[in-house]
Amino acid sequence: MTIEWERVGTVSPKSLGDARETAHHAALLLALVGASYIPSRSDDSHTSMTWLVSADALETEIVDAPRPFRVGLRMADLTLLFLDAFGDDTAILPLVERTRKDAIAWLRARIGDAGRDPAALHTSLHFSIAPHSTDSGGHFVRQREAVEELARWYRNAHTLLEGRRAQTPGASDVRCWPHHFDIATLVSCSGGPLQTIGIGMSPGDTSYAEPYFYVGPSPRPTFAVAPLGIGHWHTADWFGAVLTASEIVAKASATEQVELVNRFADDSLAALGTHPKETGT
């Protein structure tokens, strides 16, 4: 399959931490909308986001209202988008130099305009992430080159994962999950010891201070898995195959980078006894 991939590595992967934390806290504003206005689901998917290509942004699901809407975050410039049901923006709010309180007030005004009760918008979620200056009244700050690079990682991950999902029976929609801020598809396994395998990209976390692609089986395998030729098995705290951004950006061209990620995913699935329907780029 042909995958559109933007070359990454202009900004060092290990220098994206501050931009990642800022974008993560901005994305939680979308999760608040999902938690407040989309019917609850046991897997928390009502708080998750998808990547809307036309807006180049993360977005919530469509909220039922007299004027249906969704809310987006254009990561590359940290801008909130208030979108209609067709994905066209009807209002925007650049977050830079604004506070979380400013953003919530703006969202409430737009939600009221759409015909839903603005007071129903939650200001907290049932989970917490690492604290950030915006939690206590600080302004959102954009590190332009870093946040643009972070957006490229998400854009690439969405495109690659959508391509793989389309080829893989039992694969879920590609979603970005607000707790860990990873973007992934979950593949249901039929038969055998594994129930599901997640294939995704994390922008970095306490395990790795840089973005990484992963293949994570559940439950943790009790059978022996072969060493990987690309990437490695992560075994501390959680089990899965990992390919770090540093390994990806070592490849000079976009074509070489995406080929490496796809080979990593294919090899990891094969080591787990699950073979993709189609391979290649």
Side-chain angles (χ1 to χ4, degrees), residues 137-245:
H139 292 88
F140 284 95
V141 177
R142 177 191 178 213
Q143 297 173 296
R144 185 178 64 82
E145 292 183 355
V147 80
E148 288 175 351
E149 178 79 349
L150 188 65
R152 279 190 284 274
W153 280 102
Y154 276 91
R155 204 178 294 128
N156 284 342
H158 162 79
T159 303
L160 182 139
L161 293 170
E162 277 292 347
R164 298 191 71 92
R165 181 198 63 79
Q167 299 175 20
T168 308
S172 72
D173 292 339
V174 176
R175 294 180 179 270
C176 178
W177 298 90
H179 193 182
H180 297 293
F181 207 27
D182 60 323
I183 182 168
T185 180
L186 189 67
V187 181
S188 297
C189 301
S190 56
L194 301 179
Q195 296 176 3
T196 60
I197 300 177
I199 307 172
M201 188 278 298
S202 165
D205 51 28
T206 55
S207 296
Y208 299 91
E210 61 179 313
Y212 61 90
F213 279 84
Y214 65 84
V215 176
S218 180
R220 186 180 182 123
T222 56
F223 54 89
V225 292
L228 294 173
I230 301 172
H232 67 277
W233 292 111
H234 179 94
T235 58
D237 302 325
W238 53 273
F239 182 91
V242 168
L243 179 68
T244 64

Side-chain angles (χ1 to χ4, degrees), residues 32-57:
L32 289 173
V33 172
S36 305
Y37 299 102
I38 296 173
S40 178
R41 304 184 193 115
S42 60
D43 64 355
D44 264 2
S45 60
H46 59 293
T47 67
S48 70
M49 299 152 278
T50 55
W51 188 270
L52 182 62
V53 174
S54 61
D56 195 35

